Amino acid sequence: MAGQSITILGIETSCDETAAAVVRNGRRILSSVVASQTKLHERFGGVVPEIASRAHLEKILPVVEQALEQARVRPAEIDAVAVAHQPGLAIALIVGVTAAKTLAFAWQKPLIGINHLHAHLQSAILASETMELPAVALIVSGGHTSLYEAESALELKLLGSTIDDAAGEAFDKVATILGLLYPGGPHIEKMARQGNPKAIAFPRSLLDKESLDFSFSGLKTAVLYHCQGQDMKGQNRVTSMSQQEISDIAASFQQAVVDTLIIKTLRAVRKVGAKTVLVGGGVAANSALREAMGKMCNENKLALLIASKPLCTDNAAMVASLAYYYYQAGRFAGLDLEPVATS
Ligand code: KG4
Ligand code: ZN
């Protein structure tokens, strides 16, 4: 297989982005098309699975066609079809899985099933030629907040994960409390730029001294109490707050999330003696987190591989990229590949 060029079509429909991409040899992104459903879910303050599924159905074939067109690649030049088949919303995943199976069958190409979370880490690895091991990997997305020990993109050992809300979920819920739109992360980040991160001392839930698990629901509740009063009988004061007050809450909340993620990542680094930190997932697009991770890695002489901003949120380039290593390892799926909601 040495010297052979491998071109893979990747498909991603695990949540609220319909995406397709063509990637050559795991690194060269020939196209990456993402049809976002943000506008459809915005007014509900979160993703409505039935709406997501219907939108995936409408978009999947045009998005795949666009990805092939932009890559200037014909189906005959595709070596495999890869799809994120877990974890995610079952009725969303099934659209991508069915499309991938149908294309693989029609084009007579091998099918590859990819774990969406592992693909998020691949988007961090993608930009770098080398990775010094052992590495600690942090996935921070709307559905997951997890720390892994990574031996390669294919071998991950779970060290800890959230026991309640994911970091992105906390951003989304706090945004709703503050009257901001879905998805909350980018809106909170924008408000936080004008705010004082030390204005309110929100809690950092670190569980016990050794724990690598996360908990963000207490922080979310602390923001709610701050806005509505401890007994929750008070009016939500947000409507009468100044922009500065809202910015201060956003900045203080964001700082609490960032501090927690940094402390836990450093704990994991010390536990496994890591030399590299990998960060991926939607929340990794957050500038405050990127800056703090950079500083922590610098101070501790660690290499930091963090996904480029466009590849932090859901996309199919990360799926097609990871699939290259599956292809090389001969890890193919059968046409009985099923969507799996949990990881
Ligand atoms: O990885 P992703 O696109 O989807 C999942 O796999 O969940 O992550 C989406 C999450 C949302 O919760 C969104 O609010 C958050 O990532 N997010 C951010 C930012 N951009 C997206 N959170 C904080 N700051 C951002 N700039
Ligand atoms: Zn994701």
Side-chain angles (χ1 to χ4, degrees), residues 7 23 51 68 86 127 136 139-140 159 189 206 284 328:
T7 306
V23 177
I51 294 177
L68 292 173
Q86 78 173 118
V136 154
I139 294 179
V140 263
L159 298 171
E189 177 175 350
L206 300 168
Q328 286 189 316

Side-chain angles (χ1 to χ4, degrees), residues 127-173:
S128 168
E129 290 294 329
T130 54
M131 176 168 77
E132 217 184 334
L133 296 169
V136 154
L138 173 70
I139 294 179
V140 263
S141 70
H144 294 84
T145 302
S146 308
L147 275 165
Y148 297 87
E149 180 179 351
E151 285 178 8
S152 72
L154 302 186
E155 291 149 286
L156 298 172
K157 195 174 117 203
L158 186 67
L159 298 171
S161 59
T162 183
I163 58 167
D164 41 54
D165 292 349
E169 195 179 351
F171 268 99
D172 296 337
K173 288 177 177 167

Side-chain angles (χ1 to χ4, degrees), residues 200-217:
I200 306 136
F202 287 131
R204 275 81 171 142
S205 174
L206 300 168
L207 309 171
D208 70 59
K209 273 209 316 252
E210 299 288 311
S211 173
L212 294 175
D213 287 330
F214 298 88
S215 166
F216 291 106
S217 82

Side-chain angles (χ1 to χ4, degrees), residues 14 116 120 141 314 318:
S14 65
H116 173 87
H120 268 306
S141 70
D314 289 349
M318 63 186 191

Side-chain angles (χ1 to χ4, degrees), residues 171-193:
F171 268 99
D172 296 337
K173 288 177 177 167
V174 165
T176 304
I177 297 170
L178 297 180
L180 304 172
L181 290 174
Y182 174 85
H187 295 288
I188 292 205
E189 177 175 350
K190 195 161 163 228
M191 291 303 288
R193 268 186 225 130

